[in-house]
Amino acid sequence: MSDIVYLNGGFMPIEEARIPVLDRGFIFGDGVYEVIPVYSRRPFRLTEHLRRLQYSLDKVRIDNPLNTDEWTRLLGEIIQRNTGDDQSVYLQITRGVAKRDHAFPKGIKPTVFMMSMPLVTPAPALVESGVACITAQDYRWLNCDIKSTSLLGNCMLRQLSVDAGAAETILFRDGQLTEASSSNVFIVRDGVVLTPPKDHLVLPGVTYDVVIEIARAREFQIEVRPVSEAEVRGADEIWVTSSTKEVLAVTTLDGKAVGDGKPGLLFRRMHALYQSFKQDHMRTAA
Ligand code: PLP
């Protein structure tokens, strides 16, 4: 749990942070958010996270309350005020406080909230063993590219895997892979890495972009194209990616072994490359 949080212009202990019950984030889930991993007190891919934040804000028509320098300064401050070199910084902007009415109110000030939690990446044993996943139909809305705080669909889908003792729920819509409840998905078939393109059905993951960038730079065979449910079920490897999971191998899907039931060769290569990418980033990030 974070000790010191930021709320609407000030830093305070989390116990003291209060928002009015008419905040549209509370009433409607009317807000957007970001989760930024911090390694050795340096935010990873900050520019890309702030760009995606701007994209989400534009989509829901909330004016960005801060500019890039202000976000960067605030982020630096929340990192400094919290303990631990590796942190996961959560930031959220809601439309603000207004009498309850579905239509967007005019002239209100967005609520800005930021907190930091310890960054817990997969333990080495989990990277070695891989994780179990289940599948479900993707019944979320058709604006999954917006990083919205309205996450009830994702929470319900994630709970299915919790109930099944699995790490993630991989989602299919109309027979095609979309993503997982809080991660993007890659598969490997016959030595080729496949992942669906970014569109309104998936969150444009920052980790997804890094994995594609590494794959292209290191001459993996990679195709960004629609991936069918049948291709996923017959895959040699499946990976899930996110800022906190990084790259993680899926070794069983709905109780059936993926490939030989162990993290695959291409996963091992990608995982190692991702770790060195991070190290390089920590050396060069401001
Ligand atoms: N897809 C969904 C639905 C997510 O919630 C997340 C992250 O939380 C991701 C994908 C991965 O995004 P990122 O790599 O930026 O963490």
Side-chain angles (χ1 to χ4, degrees):
M1 185 54 89
S2 160
D3 293 323
I4 300 296
V5 302
Y6 172 88
L7 181 64
N8 291 335
F11 289 90
M12 63 203 76
I14 192 160
E15 301 75 24
E16 289 172 22
R18 297 275 179 278
I19 56 149
V21 290
L22 285 181
D23 192 288
R24 287 177 62 99
F26 180 62
I27 297 285
F28 293 117
D30 184 358
V32 301
Y33 75 106
E34 276 297 322
V35 177
I36 305 171
V38 172
Y39 299 105
S40 302
R41 295 195 174 268
R42 288 176 175 171
F44 183 62
R45 290 253 152 165
L46 179 58
T47 307
E48 288 77 3
H49 280 281
L50 291 180
R51 192 181 300 141
R52 184 173 64 184
L53 177 67
Q54 187 63 55
Y55 175 84
S56 300
L57 287 167
D58 289 346
K59 281 267 172 161
V60 302
R61 292 158 60 186
I62 296 177
D63 287 338
N64 195 336
L66 300 170
N67 63 33
T68 302
D69 287 349
E70 289 165 331
W71 280 118
T72 307
R73 194 182 49 73
L74 269 188
L75 200 80
E77 199 162 344
I78 196 110
I79 295 167
Q80 287 322 314
R81 284 174 181 260
N82 283 278
T83 52
D85 289 344
D86 294 351
Q87 301 179 21
S88 170
V89 174
Y90 174 91
L91 65 89
Q92 164 172 331
I93 301 158
T94 75
R95 197 174 305 277
V97 181
K99 187 169 146 294
R100 187 181 182 281
D101 177 27
H102 284 58
F104 298 163
K106 289 204 173 68
I108 59 168
K109 251 180 87 177
T111 300
V112 180
F113 173 64
M114 204 186 263
M115 66 178 167
S116 168
M117 292 163 291
L119 177 64
V120 184
T121 53
L126 206 62
V127 175
E128 276 303 307
S129 65
V131 295
C133 286
I134 61 161
T135 63
Q137 290 308 308
D138 191 346
Y139 52 58
R140 300 172 302 160
W141 69 336
L142 299 175
N143 293 288
C144 294
D145 52 330
I146 303 173
K147 202 161 170 64
S148 159
T149 58
S150 308
L151 285 173
L152 186 55
N154 300 64
C155 293
M156 289 168 68
L157 289 162
R158 170 67 185 113
Q159 189 58 36
L160 295 177
S161 50
V162 173
D163 295 345
E168 252 292 20
T169 309
I170 292 179
L171 305 173
F172 301 117
R173 195 191 287 266
D174 301 327
Q176 302 291 311
L177 171 67
T178 53
E179 56 179 341
S181 72
S182 62
S183 348
N184 293 107
V185 180
F186 291 74
I187 69 165
V188 177
R189 285 177 68 92
D190 303 323
V192 183
V193 180
L194 304 171
T195 194
K198 290 186 202 171
D199 62 12
H200 61 294
L201 301 178
V202 297
L203 185 84
V206 172
T207 320
Y208 164 102
D209 280 343
V210 172
V211 167
I212 293 176
E213 199 176 307
I214 294 173
R216 288 189 174 139
R218 298 306 180 115
E219 291 171 5
F220 284 60
Q221 286 187 66
I222 178 160
E223 290 175 21
V224 178
R225 60 141 171 96
V227 177
S228 73
E229 175 170 347
E231 286 178 305
V232 176
R233 295 202 182 277
D236 303 321
E237 299 187 27
I238 303 177
W239 314 338
V240 285
T241 68
S242 79
S243 291
T244 49
K245 292 185 198 80
E246 302 184 332
V247 193
L248 198 54
V250 178
T251 42
T252 69
L253 188 67
D254 291 336
K256 293 220 297 258
V258 176
D260 64 2
K262 298 199 199 85
L265 275 179
L266 287 184
F267 165 76
R268 288 175 189 282
R269 215 177 133 211
M270 178 54 76
H271 184 266
L273 288 167
Y274 190 86
Q275 297 308 313
S276 23
F277 189 96
K278 258 168 50 182
Q279 300 291 338
D280 289 349
H281 181 271
M282 280 182 273
R283 269 194 293 275
T284 54

